[in-house]
């Protein structure tokens, strides 16, 4: 594991932070699991959240149990692995499988179109991993119910197709035992975003075909370095993150260089944003930007490159970034293991669903309509069209602020537009990008030096959602929802997926506007045409 840090004029400030940490004995204390490192208020939480430090060794105990599950799935011809999980329960397996080039279908969405897409894919050869630390995650509970019904309708016993990963004693464990599902219990002393090397990361990845033993080997190789004062990559990276934030560079631009690892910035985004974004402080990871353009930004590249880089195998990267995040929390004076603002949007969602009953959800009235796009929000009266709205949002970003784009849509829908046959790879990529709402991030990025993030809802609620509400009050928010044309019932619940998805969007929007932060909701009355129109308007700004 190697970390190359080129700091230029700010090297002295970063060195000073590192020297202070060493003088206080932090590296050895953290490696030993000292829960007092983040102060007395954080100590009770930290005392039950440091199990990730020992995972390279303790998770090996799970390998025989996981191997049995894999052998059974292979013997039964179950080669389509679906992971129902949110946040830390899905992001790490997604990276592990992408890096290992093994297929994994991740359901971290309430979009009914995306869920129907998964249900229609080889149900007769599907095994579902239902993963939830708390056992009460509403999205994951919905996915479980939907797949149970789908299996029964197909004449398949769900007990032969569903595997549960959860914490000991959770409601999900009890449900699984009653239903006869295999259960793999995770370490309860590890928080969700630090759980990459627990059962949450290993079980679905192994079922998909990834080498999880090798992952633990790589983590074990770097672990001894984390107790050292020198040659400690986690200390160097953590000091860098903390020092940059103290200097006002609190937007971490994460860039993927060509390497053997695929998609790690998405996992880092959750780890750092949810761990540090609280008490008006925090570090905002920005995925997708190519360079740090403003004075509040700095660039770290994953893989071999020039500048500041983090290079090494995936298992080691997981452990080093976790250690560095814990270090950055100490430097910033916050508890890196809690998430005090995450529950607010969830509570708003529940309230909205309960108060609406069988009636319409409180969407409000659009302030203007531009083709297939309705615009909602507290906006100046002189805005006439979508171009005016996007321009107003960009101008509303404060000096050290950011724009967050949050899309409650099917993140795989753009693949439907990809041309197959005689088209070149470049042509297919261009066609796909022109149908992908995520392209909006890059289009708007060209028009401002401020950081712009993009998140799929409700996935981001388990990631950057904490930073949006608990971090610096510098965010401007653009939410995108879309009409549902083929909804999915949630068995045993009084709502459909589409209704839940819209309630989640409205609930989070309420949490943001209650803080007086600029927020706009765009609703696509036709998803395909709406995305095409939105991107074309952004291109012409």
């Amino acid at each position: 594991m190697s970390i190359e840090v080129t700091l230029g004029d700010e090297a002295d400030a970063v060195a000073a932070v590192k020297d202070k940490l060493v003088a206080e004995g932090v590296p050895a204390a953290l490696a030993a699991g000292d829960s007092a490192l983040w102060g007395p208020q954080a100590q009770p939480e930290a005392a039950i959240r440091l199990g990730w430090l020992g995972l390279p060794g303790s998770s090996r105990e799970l390998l025989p149990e996981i191997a049995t599950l894999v052998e059974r799935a292979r013997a039964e011809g179950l080669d389509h692995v679906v992971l129902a999980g949110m946040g830390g329960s899905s992001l790490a397996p997604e990276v592990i499988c992408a890096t290992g080039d093994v297929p994994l279908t991740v359901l971290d969405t309430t979009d009914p179109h995306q869920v129907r897409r998964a249900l229609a894919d080889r149900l007769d050869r599907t095994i579902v991993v239902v993963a939830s630390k708390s056992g009460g995650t509403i999205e994951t509970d919905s996915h479980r119910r939907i797949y149970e019904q789908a299996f029964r309708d197909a004449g398949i016993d769900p007990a032969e197709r569903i595997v549960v990963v959860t914490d000991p004693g959770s409601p999900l464990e009890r449900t699984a035992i009653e239903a006869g599902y295999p259960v793999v219990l995770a370490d309860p002393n590890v928080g969700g975003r630090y759980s990459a090397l627990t059962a949450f990361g290993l079980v679905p990845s192994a079922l998909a075909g990834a080498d999880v033993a090798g992952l633990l080997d790589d983590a074990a190789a770097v672990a001894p370095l984390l107790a050292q004062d020198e040659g400690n990559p986690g200390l160097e990276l953590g000091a860098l993150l903390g020092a940059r934030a103290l200097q006002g560079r609190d937007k971490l631009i994460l860039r993927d260089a060509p390497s053997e690892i695929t998609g790690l910035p998405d996992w880092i985004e959750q780890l750092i944003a949810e761990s540090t974004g609280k008490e008006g402080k925090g570090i905002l990871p920005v995925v997708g930007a190519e360079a740090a353009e403003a004075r509040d930004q700095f660039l770290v590249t994953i893989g071999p490159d020039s500048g500041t880089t983090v290079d090494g195998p995936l298992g080691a990267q997981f452990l080093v970034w976790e250690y560095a995040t814990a270090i950055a929390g100490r430097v910033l004076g916050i508890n890196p293991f809690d998430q005090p603002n995450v529950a607010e949007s969830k509570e708003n969602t529940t309230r909205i669903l309960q108060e609406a009953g069988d009636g319409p959800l409180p969407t409000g009235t659009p302030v203007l309509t531009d083709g297939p796009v309705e615009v909602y929000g507290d906006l100046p009266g002189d805005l006439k069209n979508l171009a005016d709205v996007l321009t107003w949002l960009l101008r509303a970003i404060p000096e050290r602020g950011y724009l967050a784009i949050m899309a409650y849509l099917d993140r795989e829908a753009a693949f439907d537009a990809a041309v197959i046959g005689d088209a070149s790879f470049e042509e297919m990529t261009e066609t796909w990008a022109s149908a992908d709402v995520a392209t909006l991030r890059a289009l708007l990025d060209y028009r401002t030096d401020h950081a712009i993030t993009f998140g799929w809802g409700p996935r981001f609620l388990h990631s950057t959602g904490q930073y949006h509400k608990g971090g610096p009050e510098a965010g401007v928010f653009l939410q995108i929802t879309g009409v549902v044309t083929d909804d999915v019932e949630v068995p045993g619940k009084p709502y459909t997926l589409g209704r839940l998805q819209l309630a989640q969007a409205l609930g989070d929007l309420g949490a943001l506007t209650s803080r007086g932060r600029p927020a706009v909701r765009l609703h696509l009355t036709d998803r395909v045409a709406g995305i095409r129109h939105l991107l074309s308007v952004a291109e012409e700004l």
Side-chain angles (χ1 to χ4, degrees):
M1 182 74 193
S2 64
I3 293 182
E4 301 173 18
V5 180
T6 305
L7 299 173
D9 295 338
E10 299 177 50
D12 290 344
V14 175
V17 169
K18 179 183 172 183
D19 291 346
K20 184 173 186 292
L21 290 165
V22 169
E24 293 168 347
V26 172
L30 176 53
D34 184 351
S35 61
L37 287 172
W38 301 274
Q41 287 188 317
Q43 188 166 10
E45 179 81 18
I48 57 170
R49 288 291 177 262
L50 289 170
W52 52 272
L53 289 160
L55 291 175
S58 61
S59 283
R60 291 187 181 281
E61 299 172 7
L62 295 172
L63 295 181
E65 185 178 2
I66 293 173
T68 299
L69 290 173
V70 172
E71 289 168 8
R72 192 199 81 181
R74 298 290 181 271
E76 296 177 1
L78 306 180
D79 57 0
H80 180 218
V81 183
V82 174
L83 170 59
M86 301 299 297
S89 298
S90 64
L91 289 165
E94 190 169 68
V95 176
I96 294 167
C97 291
T99 298
D101 196 23
V102 295
L104 176 69
T105 297
V106 175
L107 284 185
D108 53 3
T109 181
T110 45
D111 187 84
H113 304 93
Q114 190 172 333
V115 173
R116 279 201 182 278
R117 187 187 305 271
L119 286 168
D121 185 7
R122 297 166 287 164
L123 186 68
D124 60 324
R125 289 153 46 195
T126 294
I127 183 169
V128 180
V129 179
V130 177
S132 170
K133 180 177 176 62
S134 69
T137 309
I138 191 170
E139 300 94 340
T140 306
D141 178 70
S142 299
H143 299 150
R144 175 184 61 80
R145 293 169 179 270
I146 290 166
Y147 263 96
E148 285 175 339
Q149 187 65 54
F151 284 137
R152 291 191 189 104
D153 290 346
I156 299 169
D157 183 356
E160 298 176 355
R161 299 299 188 88
I162 293 178
V163 175
V164 166
V165 181
T166 189
D167 274 6
S170 78
L172 180 57
E173 182 192 16
R174 293 193 294 273
T175 298
I177 291 172
E178 291 170 2
Y181 302 153
V183 181
V184 183
L185 296 177
D187 187 336
N189 292 320
V190 179
R193 55 190 178 272
Y194 292 80
S195 66
L197 299 176
T198 70
F200 288 106
L202 303 183
V203 171
S205 302
L207 284 167
D211 176 15
V212 297
L215 202 70
L216 296 176
D217 289 341
D218 291 335
V222 78
L225 302 180
L226 302 182
Q228 299 178 3
D229 293 341
E230 296 297 332
N232 180 339
L235 175 62
E236 293 178 26
L237 182 58
L240 169 67
L241 298 175
R244 289 295 203 200
L246 292 179
Q247 295 159 355
R249 294 183 181 270
D250 57 358
K251 313 298 188 304
L252 166 60
I253 311 299
L254 289 165
R255 192 169 71 87
D256 243 340
S259 72
E260 295 180 354
I261 296 176
T262 302
L264 188 59
D266 284 330
W267 175 82
I268 296 171
E269 178 185 55
Q270 187 219 8
L271 174 69
I272 292 180
E274 198 167 58
S275 296
T276 69
K278 58 199 71 170
E279 300 177 25
K281 305 174 185 179
I283 300 166
L284 178 65
V286 182
V287 178
E290 285 298 311
E293 300 173 325
R295 288 179 296 176
D296 62 344
Q297 302 172 14
F298 69 104
L299 175 67
V300 174
T301 302
I302 309 300
D305 201 61
S306 57
T308 303
T309 66
V310 185
D311 188 24
L314 183 56
Q317 293 259 15
F318 281 143
L319 192 59
V320 165
W321 279 100
E322 288 165 351
Y323 182 102
T325 300
I327 289 286
R330 178 178 170 94
V331 173
L332 294 178
I334 53 93
N335 175 4
F337 305 112
D338 67 350
Q339 47 282 331
N341 304 104
V342 166
E344 183 177 353
S345 293
K346 298 178 184 178
E347 292 166 356
N348 285 355
T349 297
T350 300
R351 177 181 51 78
I352 288 170
L353 289 171
Q354 289 176 344
E355 291 180 355
D358 296 331
L361 297 181
T363 55
T365 303
V367 295
L368 66 91
T369 300
D370 188 332
V373 181
E374 295 175 341
V375 180
Y376 296 79
D378 185 8
L379 295 168
D382 59 346
L383 303 186
K384 304 302 182 185
N385 51 40
L386 189 54
D388 288 348
V389 172
L390 295 179
T391 300
W392 178 81
L393 282 168
L394 291 173
R395 290 175 178 170
I397 305 173
E399 182 181 354
R400 292 175 37 76
Y402 64 96
L403 170 65
I405 305 171
M406 308 163 293
Y408 288 80
L409 299 167
D410 176 359
R411 69 174 170 134
E412 297 180 358
F415 290 111
D416 294 340
V419 180
I420 300 174
D422 296 333
S424 67
F425 176 77
E426 289 75 15
E427 289 171 329
M428 284 194 294
T429 301
E430 185 176 341
T431 302
W432 172 78
S434 67
D436 185 6
V437 71
T439 302
L440 181 63
R441 197 214 70 80
L443 292 176
L444 296 183
D445 194 35
Y446 288 134
R447 288 151 180 84
T448 180
D449 287 340
H450 295 297
I452 299 184
T453 65
F454 181 92
W456 293 103
R459 168 186 170 121
F460 79 87
L461 292 177
H462 300 257
S463 176
T464 51
Q466 166 63 42
Y467 183 96
H468 292 167
K469 293 174 278 291
E473 295 198 13
V476 175
F477 301 94
L478 175 59
Q479 186 184 87
I480 307 171
T481 58
V483 65
V484 172
T485 57
D486 195 8
D487 213 342
V488 176
E489 298 287 334
V490 181
K493 292 294 182 179
Y495 47 76
T496 62
L497 278 186
R499 191 171 177 82
L500 173 59
Q501 181 186 42
L502 182 56
Q504 288 178 312
L506 297 176
D508 191 51
L509 196 64
L512 296 171
T513 56
S514 70
R515 290 166 167 77
R517 303 185 183 183
V520 171
R521 180 169 73 93
L522 306 182
H523 184 70
L524 313 181
T525 54
D526 179 313
R527 290 193 180 201
V528 174
I531 291 172
R532 189 184 305 118
H533 182 58
L534 176 59
L535 296 183
S536 67
V537 170
E539 233 172 345
E540 296 299 322
L541 286 181

